[in-house]
Amino acid sequence: MTTTNAGPHVHGLGEPYKRKEDARFIRGKGNYVDDIQLPGMLYADIVRSPYAHALIKSIDISKALQVPGVVAVITGKDLEAAGLAWMPTLSGDTEAVLAVDRVLYQMQEVAFVVAESRYAAADGAAAVEVDYEPLPVVVDPQKALAPDAPLLRPDKKDRQPTNQIYHWETGDRAATDAAFAEAEQNGVVVRQDMYVPRIHPAPIETCGCVADYNAATSKLTVWMTSQAPHAHRTLFAIVSGLPEHRIRVISPDVGGGFGNKVPIYPGYVCAVVAALKTGRPVKWIEDRTENLTSTGFARDYHIHAEIAADKEGTVKALRVYTLADHGAFDAAAQPTKFPAGLFHICTGSYDFKQAHVAVDAVHTNKAPGGIAYRCSFRVTEASYLIERMMDTLAREVGKDPAQIRLQNFIKPEAFPYRSALGWTYDSGNYERALRLAMEKIGYEELRREQAEKRARGELMGIGISSFTEIVGAGPGKHFDIAGIQMFDSCEIRVHPTGKVLARIGVQTQGQGHETTFAQIIAAELGISPDDVDVEHGDTDTAPYGLGTYASRSTPVGGAATAVAARKIRDKARKIAAYLLEVGEEDLEWEPGRFYVRGSPSKGKTIQEIAFAAYTNCPPYLEPGLEAVNYYDPPNLTYPFGSYICVVDIDRGTGEVHIRRFLAVDDCGTVINPMIVEGQIHGGLTQGLAPALYEQLAYDEDGNVLGSNFQDYLIPTAIETPRWETDRTVTPSPHHPIGAKGVGESPTVGAPQAIANAVVDALAHVGVRHIDIPITPWKVWAILKEKGLATA
Amino acid sequence: MSIHHIRVTINGKLYEGDVEARTLLVHWLRDGLRLTGTHIGCDTSSCGACTILVDGKAVKSCTMLAVQADGRELLTVEGLEQNGKLHPLQEGFHVEHALQCGYCTPGMMMAALALLKRNPDPSEQEIREGISGNLCRCTGYVNIVKAIQYAAQKLREPEQVPAGSGGGGE
Amino acid sequence: MIPGPFDYQVASSVAEAIALLDQHGADAKVLAGGHSLIPLLRFRLASPAVLVDINRLRDLEYLQEADGTLHIGALTREVDLEASDLIRRRYPILADTARVIADPVVRNWATIGGNLAHADPANDHPATMLALGAQLVATGPAGQRLIPVEQFFTDSSFETTLQPNELLTEIRIPAPAERSGGAYLKLERKVGDYAIAGVAAYVALDGAGQVTYAGIGLTNVGPTPIKARAAEQLLLGSTLDDAVIVQAAKQAAAEARPVSDLRGPADYKRAMVETLTMRALRQARSRATGGA
Ligand SMILES: Cc1cc2nc3c(=O)[nH]c(=O)nc-3n(C[C@H](O)[C@H](O)[C@H](O)COP(=O)(O)OP(=O)(O)OC[C@H]3O[C@@H](n4cnc5c(N)ncnc54)[C@H](O)[C@@H]3O)c2cc1C
Ligand code: FES
Ligand code: FES
């Protein structure tokens, strides 16, 4: 089924090589965690709190233990006795594994029931009786900061006496304030409050694990839905005290991650405890409600943003204040050094001379999280705010949104560009991307059509987003996950017959690493990707890596792979020189082969060299042909793009119809255009979702609304437009193959293109902002207020 | 709680077993018969990851009891490939890059198969409607539409012997 | 999400189904398409002691016109309504309704009888049946009785006037008069969702173009399906001009009893009843006068 290539054609960089991993998935032969069945395996179910804030007065497990098939019930008290009631989060907080004396959010884990079958486990969980004493609930982060707010985390009163987790700021406050003072006098200042709502990555596969402890070998094996198996192994070792070499974490096929599968969840820890306790393998699989209500949410940023500009609309300074709702535990995924992640990329694609950002994070009675949902640590929030603000500025000075962007872009010759908030952008040509998008979609023509429609009373809008992404963390000195530096790795073995096994530290959840990483090696060694197998996800065999999120696979793992392959080639050159009896400097490389300069017929293929490495190796070299690289990137990469969205609004219902959506992306060198395009389609759909549909809302009592797929509105093929794509290529100067990483750009860039389009449709009646998700009733309320609603 | 002995033909093969009345069909297929190609993605019959054919009609197997399948003919993703030849839908999904994580893929192909049985030459809009009970979080659907168009065309070509379309379930 | 325990019995005839229902009384639940019932069982929101499976009663799956009436077997699947030539041609309002219910995979199993018997104000068929003036056939130990649809639903959600030992076996709809037509319009958050609001409108005109029959049913804007009687009254005798349509739409909105929830605030839903009623009536008029 894989494409056979006639001749020496190498499906290297830039080729739409069909995916190697498809073969098993299209046959239903993938191996996802819930597909694993071990002899004697038990199933687990979790008892969860119906209250958002309550004291646990008592837990009675006696009836549950009588349910046929129930083997054990574990409570927080049991864990406490074993010193396992708390676990570290990704942000240096401690999170309850099972609540001991209080619950802090609805659906928090309270007891873990283990039984012979899924059905018996569910019956057992239903039979656990918990007596709660409800406490006052805090859902509004603003109210959480009030002096009389109930203290949600008495457990850490000593280091944190209020509900405020941190205050963080960066940038030059004085200079920024001065620029605003000047603009108030002689220029313009625009301000906007906006809320980037709490949403959920909601991969179609939920989270889960199978834990198996072999008492004879003292080895714990955990199959789990993990985007970062090595980091999880290390955390397991730290939490459990088990020696790390006796823990094996295997991430099997993962049915989508998008950041949801980066944290460690209580269910995993409980399954391990239960496996140790019962001596039998234990499987725990979340249902959808549990997934949406208790595992890592994203966003939830209340933002106030201001731009100072001159009268022409040339930007001078950006000032941002944000209140971040982190929920009951601070489990946000971010590097230690940057508590608000990379949020200070919020100057975006524009040349701001001054900027200042401040963020306060607070606890509320909501599920913990703050994960990087298909984005690099808060870049989505940052990009949304700046792209919305640029539109607001355009209205203020009476310019077209395209014009205001072109006027303020960082110029191509300014790269590497140091932003006011301290980032060094590697490369970019923002104007080229926007101009291409405008030309392809027929921007001027659309504006004419809009004017005609407006005259007829019809509502049509055009929205632009010219975002800049920041991906590929490390460098390790600035970026870590729970202290572990963000490098990544690749180990390549060339077998004697020239076939290759590569193992990588990053972990695929659909990105197609088995194909693209094979292509990188194929390109470096001049062989077919068919001859390269790529493995990942097993900590016993793969080299240590930090995993896949924040679009770091290609920038970091891909670089490690290219560098490891180059090490192979370097050694191959030495062997070829020995075999051909010439000096290394006399050899030329062509894909797949070294030959003697001036006599092309005298050469050795990589396969011949591989064979010699094991059979006839130069005496001064170690035999074999293997290489390992741990790559610590010198900088992040900065993909960018310009998206244009066209919407029509139904004045009778407030419904927004996306007529067209064009995405021009620039992710540097493209390894596999087919896979890149697929990533963009998927990311755009995950950008559409929060713009118009998805939100995890809470009522005043802390009940989570939208807790299943009936109410958490994942777009179907009907809501999703036929995405149009194009690209420009501006390679990263510091990446070995110039690639930047693309998986997340569209999720970051799309929501504001849609929001801007809707606001654009209503701009003529003075509308400046609508919070996402832009539901029909929000639009209709505006139509009504402005006298535009018809039936 | 009653236990029932059931006999079900799946992918042309007869399976028998005892099931509790409440056992969901998807759990019997996956846990009982180890036919794990059929997936589970929700609790509300919303995602379609569990879609299979029962007597030729697509159904969300999380919303049918195993006991209801007694005496019926089922087709799951494992039955699409026939005699080592991929079904045009499987081929189409591969060629058009219509899958990423692969989790929705079996259900998506089964819904598409049901659609093509009813409507061998669907328009893009009809395809989008036909798969609107199946969620994909990875692909944005564009390539899934193309894959189904690919399969539709391949199944229509008269000289082409459609592999596996006979399957079970008819 | 795993159902609690229950027993299961499969009925091989209508008589057997009724006998089983009679035997188990309120502890039993009929299992038709299962696409409302099984999700309830999975969330453990219902815990019947026994399910009586009627899916093998093929003689309850039919669509036929006879004696000026359309007879629909209660077990008829949505997909069959949607695909039927007869329905598309003669009863487009029914095809309108079937094709916006849930999604195509659900529609393969979900039945029209289950849709009505579940008495969910969010279900789409009740409004259409109210607009059409349908009659429902209930079959019990004592035989059949005919229930006009407006007497089928009670004042409470999820409740009907069926007895625990009765089966809904057939839906009867008067065949369309010469100049009549209707439409069902549903506004939803996304495909597969229940309605934010839905409106079914059906009208019959006499030779002079005057309205002789008007039916308006509303979906998901109250605790039960709503028949907008006052709006219907406004239309009767009118010539169904734009002005009266505007008036009737306002009246239908006034008859809605929506509450604010995840599908929007109450005032929005009320306004949507107005919008949809207007649009549905215009389409009904066009269909009644020979248009599409
Ligand atoms: C994801 C999803 C989305 C949906 N969206 C919509 C939608 O948009 N609009 C809509 O209208 N519906 C929707 N539904 C509901 C669907 O149409 C249901 O299938 C329908 O409401 C019930 O029909 P059923 O045949 O599945 O009945 P069942 O679920 O089997 O039964 C429902 C109830 O009716 C009783 N019952 C069934 N048949 C009879 C009978 N003949 N006599 C007496 N009692 C009987 C049962 O005992 C039960 O109490 C949706 C369902 C799902 C799963
Ligand atoms: S698992 Fe069956 S529809 Fe989601
Ligand atoms: S391919 Fe991942 S959900 Fe569709």
Side-chain angles (χ1 to χ4, degrees):
Chain A
M1 69 158 309
T2 34
T3 317
T4 47
N5 41 329
H9 185 84
V10 173
H11 298 270
L13 305 187
E15 292 223 15
Y17 190 66
K18 304 291 179 225
R19 295 203 326 166
K20 292 158 75 85
E21 40 275 85
D22 289 358
R24 60 184 188 276
F25 295 133
I26 56 176
R27 291 177 169 86
K29 297 291 181 200
N31 187 35
Y32 301 92
V33 68
D34 198 15
D35 300 344
I36 292 165
Q37 208 176 61
L38 302 179
M41 189 172 77
L42 299 171
Y43 293 81
D45 207 330
I46 295 182
V47 179
R48 293 174 181 274
S49 169
Y51 294 102
H53 195 195
L55 293 177
I56 297 177
K57 313 257 306 211
S58 66
I59 302 180
D60 183 352
I61 63 169
S62 56
K63 291 208 180 94
L65 286 172
Q66 279 159 23
V67 169
V70 170
V71 173
V73 180
I74 298 169
T75 65
K77 287 239 161 34
D78 300 329
L79 292 182
E80 198 174 37
L84 288 173
W86 297 85
M87 64 178 190
T89 69
L90 295 177
S91 282
D93 195 1
T94 48
E95 173 176 359
V97 177
L98 292 175
V100 178
D101 53 8
R102 64 172 65 222
V103 288
L104 290 169
Y105 62 97
Q106 189 181 49
M107 294 294 281
Q108 188 179 340
E109 298 80 0
V110 173
F112 194 76
V113 179
V114 188
E116 299 288 346
S117 71
R118 284 177 211 272
Y119 285 67
D123 292 345
V128 172
E129 292 174 346
V130 187
D131 188 13
Y132 297 96
E133 180 184 318
L135 295 172
V137 173
V138 182
V139 285
D140 177 347
Q142 200 68 55
K143 289 187 184 149
L145 286 177
D148 59 344
L151 182 65
L152 301 184
R153 295 292 303 280
D155 58 294
K156 57 174 184 178
K157 196 161 54 209
D158 300 343
R159 56 199 163 96
Q160 187 189 299
T162 69
N163 291 323
Q164 180 166 351
I165 304 168
Y166 67 75
H167 172 84
W168 177 80
E169 55 180 80
T170 191
D172 187 335
R173 180 190 283 270
T176 304
D177 288 350
F180 271 88
E182 159 67 18
E184 297 277 10
Q185 292 295 316
N186 303 314
V188 295
V189 172
V190 287
R191 305 188 159 82
Q192 186 64 54
D193 286 320
M194 48 187 105
Y195 176 49
V196 185
R198 182 177 273 238
I199 54 175
H200 198 283
I204 306 299
E205 178 200 38
T206 61
C207 301
C209 70
V210 176
D212 183 25
Y213 183 70
N214 183 329
T217 59
S218 314
K219 184 129 186 174
L220 172 71
T221 305
V222 189
W223 289 263
M224 59 191 268
T225 46
S226 171
Q227 291 177 235
H230 279 103
H232 286 166
R233 184 189 66 191
T234 301
L235 288 174
F236 269 127
I238 291 169
V239 171
S240 68
L242 292 172
E244 194 167 356
H245 65 302
R246 294 278 158 71
I247 302 175
R248 180 181 185 188
V249 174
I250 302 174
S251 190
D253 287 326
V254 176
F258 319 118
N260 186 216
K261 293 166 182 172
V262 174
I264 291 206
Y265 296 118
Y268 302 148
V269 178
C270 291
V272 169
V273 171
L276 289 167
K277 183 177 160 123
T278 60
R280 291 169 64 179
V282 174
K283 178 187 277 189
W284 167 70
I285 305 289
E286 267 177 353
D287 63 32
R288 177 55 59 191
T289 307
E290 294 177 294
N291 177 253
L292 288 171
T293 56
S294 71
T295 62
F297 73 88
R299 327 286 189 237
D300 216 345
Y301 262 32
H302 299 257
I303 298 170
H304 175 79
E306 304 172 321
I307 288 180
D310 67 16
K311 288 209 163 67
E312 293 305 307
T314 298
V315 299
K316 301 294 176 194
L318 175 71
R319 196 159 58 188
V320 178
Y321 172 73
T322 289
L323 186 57
D325 186 342
H326 282 214
F329 301 103
D330 184 18
Q334 65 231 339
T336 310
K337 201 169 167 181
F338 302 118
L342 313 185
F343 185 57
H344 48 308
I345 188 70
C346 59
T347 53
S349 309
Y350 311 101
D351 189 12
F352 282 90
K353 298 301 179 206
Q354 299 299 338
H356 182 263
V357 173
V359 182
D360 284 316
V362 299
H363 285 307
T364 56
N365 289 120
K366 297 179 195 156
I371 50 96
Y373 167 20
R374 205 164 180 163
C375 95
S376 227
F377 316 111
R378 308 293 186 183
V379 178
T380 311
E381 293 89 326
S383 180
Y384 175 79
L385 90 83
I386 188 63
E387 289 303 310
R388 280 269 50 248
M389 289 307 289
M390 291 306 284
D391 266 33
T392 306
L393 177 63
R395 307 292 174 217
E396 184 68 26
V397 298
K399 289 194 170 168
D400 187 279
Q403 177 52 39
I404 207 83
R405 285 174 169 78
L406 291 167
Q407 177 182 338
N408 284 294
F409 278 149
I410 299 162
K411 301 283 175 277
E413 57 278 11
F415 292 90
Y417 169 85
R418 192 163 166 83
S419 80
L421 293 172
W423 300 110
T424 303
Y425 294 21
D426 58 348
S427 62
N429 189 335
Y430 303 147
E431 178 170 343
R432 182 170 62 175
L434 178 54
R435 291 221 185 265
L436 175 62
M438 290 169 69
E439 187 194 319
K440 269 210 92 168
I441 203 153
Y443 188 77
E444 301 304 331
E445 184 49 41
L446 286 167
R447 283 285 173 212
R448 265 195 297 279
E449 181 191 344
Q450 181 185 38
E452 283 167 25
K453 289 214 154 127
R454 243 178 218 170
R456 289 204 299 270
E458 291 170 43
L459 297 176
M460 159 187 171
I462 306 156
I464 301 178
S465 162
S466 291
F467 64 93
T468 289
E469 251 264 79
I470 171 172
V471 307
K477 64 176 188 292
H478 295 310
F479 296 93
D480 66 297
I481 275 288
I484 306 162
Q485 293 192 348
M486 285 196 187
F487 56 83
D488 234 288
S489 58
C490 175
E491 176 199 291
I492 300 177
R493 297 183 186 176
V494 184
H495 302 320
T497 54
K499 309 292 181 193
V500 176
L501 174 65
R503 288 171 164 150
I504 54 177
V506 292
Q507 156 65 35
T508 185
Q509 315 112 41
Q511 295 89 341
H513 292 165
E514 291 165 40
T515 305
T516 47
F517 282 63
Q519 281 182 277
I520 294 175
I521 295 170
E524 295 292 339
L525 299 184
I527 59 178
S528 164
D530 279 347
D531 291 341
V532 183
D533 270 2
V534 177
E535 287 183 3
H536 51 80
D538 182 342
T539 57
D540 264 11
T541 56
Y544 206 103
L546 267 284
T548 293
Y549 36 84
S551 281
R552 56 189 303 284
S553 283
T554 303
V556 193
T561 304
V563 173
R566 285 173 193 177
K567 286 187 184 173
I568 297 273
R569 210 166 75 193
D570 288 346
K571 184 167 179 186
R573 176 188 288 271
K574 290 191 169 62
I575 298 172
Y578 171 77
L579 296 175
L580 295 165
E581 298 176 338
V582 295
E584 279 181 55
E585 61 290 347
D586 297 325
L587 291 178
E588 291 281 343
W589 168 256
E590 66 180 8
R593 180 171 178 271
F594 283 106
Y595 63 91
V596 180
R597 185 172 307 118
S599 19
S601 62
K602 269 189 76 186
K604 290 286 173 191
T605 65
I606 201 86
Q607 288 81 3
E608 289 166 330
I609 296 167
F611 198 69
Y614 295 86
T615 57
N616 181 22
C617 192
Y620 46 85
L621 287 180
E622 287 176 20
L625 195 53
E626 302 189 358
V628 183
N629 180 253
Y630 283 76
Y631 186 81
D632 184 4
N635 188 8
L636 296 120
T637 64
Y638 295 75
F640 59 92
S642 270
Y643 294 172
I644 301 183
C645 173
V646 185
V647 301
D648 298 294
I649 294 177
D650 184 329
R651 285 176 58 189
T653 62
E655 286 170 290
V656 172
H657 297 285
I658 297 182
R659 190 201 308 176
R660 287 185 71 187
F661 194 111
L662 169 69
V664 172
D665 272 282
D666 191 321
C667 59
T669 305
V670 170
I671 301 170
N672 183 325
M674 175 192 82
I675 288 181
V676 164
E677 198 188 24
Q679 289 283 308
I680 290 169
H681 290 162
L684 290 170
T685 310
Q686 289 187 354
L688 160 70
L692 298 184
Y693 303 103
E694 293 174 15
Q695 177 170 10
L696 273 181
Y698 284 77
D699 71 12
E700 281 184 2
D701 297 323
N703 296 309
V704 48
L705 311 171
S707 61
N708 56 52
F709 277 170
Q710 205 48 251
D711 283 319
Y712 192 78
L713 305 174
I714 309 262
T716 72
I718 295 292
E719 289 75 39
T720 307
R722 191 199 301 123
W723 306 113
E724 303 168 58
T725 59
D726 205 337
R727 68 166 165 271
T728 59
V729 176
T730 311
S732 170
H734 66 73
H735 187 276
I737 57 172
K740 286 188 171 185
V742 72
E744 302 175 334
S745 290
T747 320
V748 168
Q752 53 273 25
I754 299 167
N756 284 348
V758 179
V759 173
D760 182 66
L762 299 163
H764 61 299
V765 291
V767 175
R768 292 292 172 264
H769 180 73
I770 308 173
D771 270 334
I772 57 172
I774 301 177
T775 57
W777 49 91
K778 284 186 193 166
V779 175
W780 178 82
I782 291 168
L783 295 175
K784 193 171 163 223
E785 182 198 318
K786 304 289 182 188
L788 291 173
T790 59
Chain B
M1 133 176 74
S2 49
I3 306 278
H4 302 261
H5 187 73
I6 58 172
R7 294 161 56 89
V8 186
T9 306
I10 307 172
N11 306 328
K13 193 174 149 202
L14 183 69
Y15 292 82
E16 284 192 59
D18 289 327
V19 295
E20 266 184 51
R22 62 172 168 164
T23 304
L24 301 173
L25 179 55
V26 71
H27 284 146
W28 187 60
L29 291 173
R30 291 179 46 79
D31 297 345
L33 306 181
R34 311 291 302 125
L35 291 169
T36 53
T38 303
H39 298 149
I40 301 175
C42 72
D43 327 316
T44 47
S45 319
S46 310
C47 76
C50 61
T51 307
I52 63 169
L53 300 197
V54 173
D55 291 339
K57 284 204 292 188
V59 66
K60 295 182 176 180
S61 63
C62 69
T63 313
M64 180 176 255
L65 304 173
V67 57
Q68 288 183 273
D70 188 24
R72 297 189 189 263
E73 293 207 8
L74 275 48
L75 184 69
T76 70
V77 64
E78 289 92 347
L80 282 180
E81 188 177 5
Q82 294 276 302
N83 309 319
K85 194 163 175 349
L86 290 177
H87 188 277
L89 274 166
Q90 293 173 301
E91 223 178 275
F93 270 66
H94 174 61
V95 171
E96 298 293 352
H97 185 36
L99 62 150
Q100 291 182 25
C101 79
Y103 200 77
C104 71
T105 310
M108 200 62 89
M109 291 193 298
M110 299 315 284
L113 181 61
L115 166 72
L116 294 181
K117 278 169 183 250
R118 268 201 325 273
N119 181 355
D121 189 11
S123 66
E124 168 165 358
Q125 189 57 26
E126 286 168 337
I127 292 176
R128 286 179 177 268
E129 278 164 16
I131 58 168
S132 62
N134 295 68
L135 300 177
C136 176
R137 196 59 157 166
C138 298
T139 66
Y141 306 105
V142 176
N143 292 347
I144 294 180
V145 171
K146 286 190 203 156
I148 297 170
Q149 284 166 337
Y150 173 104
Q153 179 167 10
K154 199 136 193 212
L155 286 165
R156 280 197 316 270
E157 280 170 16
E159 69 273 25
Q160 201 69 44
V161 182
S165 64
E170 276 296 64
Chain C
M1 292 288 164
I2 307 272
F6 50 76
D7 287 344
Y8 166 92
Q9 302 210 278
V10 57
S12 49
S13 67
V14 171
E16 188 185 349
I18 289 162
L20 284 166
L21 291 177
D22 201 37
Q23 176 191 340
H24 296 286
D27 290 342
K29 275 244 171 247
V30 172
L31 175 64
H35 278 66
S36 287
L37 184 52
I38 292 178
L40 284 182
L41 297 171
R42 295 185 72 185
F43 280 84
R44 300 197 175 199
L45 295 172
S47 44
V50 56
L51 294 192
V52 176
D53 184 357
I54 60 169
N55 279 283
R56 312 270 163 168
L57 307 183
R58 297 304 295 266
D59 52 346
L60 287 185
E61 285 190 53
Y62 53 84
L63 281 167
Q64 73 208 24
E65 244 181 348
D67 317 325
T69 303
L70 173 68
H71 302 259
I72 307 176
L75 205 61
T76 303
R77 317 277 168 178
E78 302 295 351
V79 63
D80 297 322
L81 282 174
E82 195 186 348
S84 154
D85 228 31
L86 169 69
I87 299 295
R88 286 189 193 193
R89 215 165 13 89
R90 303 259 297 157
Y91 306 86
I93 185 175
L94 271 177
D96 289 351
T97 312
R99 55 183 289 276
V100 296
I101 288 175
D103 62 60
V105 180
V106 170
R107 293 200 292 274
N108 279 336
W109 291 87
T111 68
I112 185 170
N115 196 290
L116 293 167
H118 194 49
D120 183 343
N123 275 0
D124 295 295
H125 277 304
T128 299
M129 295 302 154
L130 287 167
L132 285 167
Q135 303 231 323
L136 309 185
V137 180
T139 308
Q144 293 194 342
R145 66 187 175 108
L146 219 51
I147 311 174
V149 66
E150 56 274 32
Q151 288 163 29
F152 185 72
F153 304 109
T154 71
D155 291 341
S156 310
S157 311
F158 305 104
E159 195 183 83
T160 69
T161 52
L162 277 181
Q163 297 301 310
N165 60 4
E166 278 180 327
L167 204 59
L168 172 61
T169 48
E170 186 178 286
I171 295 101
R172 293 187 186 164
I173 292 165
E178 184 88 7
R179 289 159 59 81
S180 69
Y184 182 68
L185 292 181
K186 171 182 179 178
L187 181 65
E188 55 191 6
R189 295 177 298 177
K190 66 163 217 176
V191 167
D193 190 22
Y194 291 93
I196 295 171
V199 174
Y202 198 81
V203 292
L205 309 175
D206 63 14
Q210 284 195 335
V211 176
T212 55
Y213 175 90
I216 297 179
L218 312 181
T219 301
N220 216 11
V221 284
T224 61
I226 290 171
K227 184 169 165 67
R229 290 172 204 277
E232 292 170 354
Q233 285 304 318
L234 276 176
L235 295 171
L236 283 176
S238 80
T239 53
L240 208 57
D241 52 291
D242 285 343
V244 76
I245 287 180
V246 168
Q247 254 188 316
K250 283 203 192 318
Q251 181 56 42
E255 288 175 79
R257 290 190 285 146
V259 292
S260 300
D261 59 17
L262 287 175
R263 291 190 177 78
D267 67 331
Y268 173 70
K269 294 181 180 181
R270 193 180 292 285
M272 289 310 101
V273 171
E274 185 176 337
T275 296
L276 296 179
T277 305
M278 191 120 76
R279 292 179 182 181
L281 280 171
R282 285 199 198 119
Q283 200 177 343
R285 176 176 64 188
S286 141
R287 280 176 173 166
T289 52

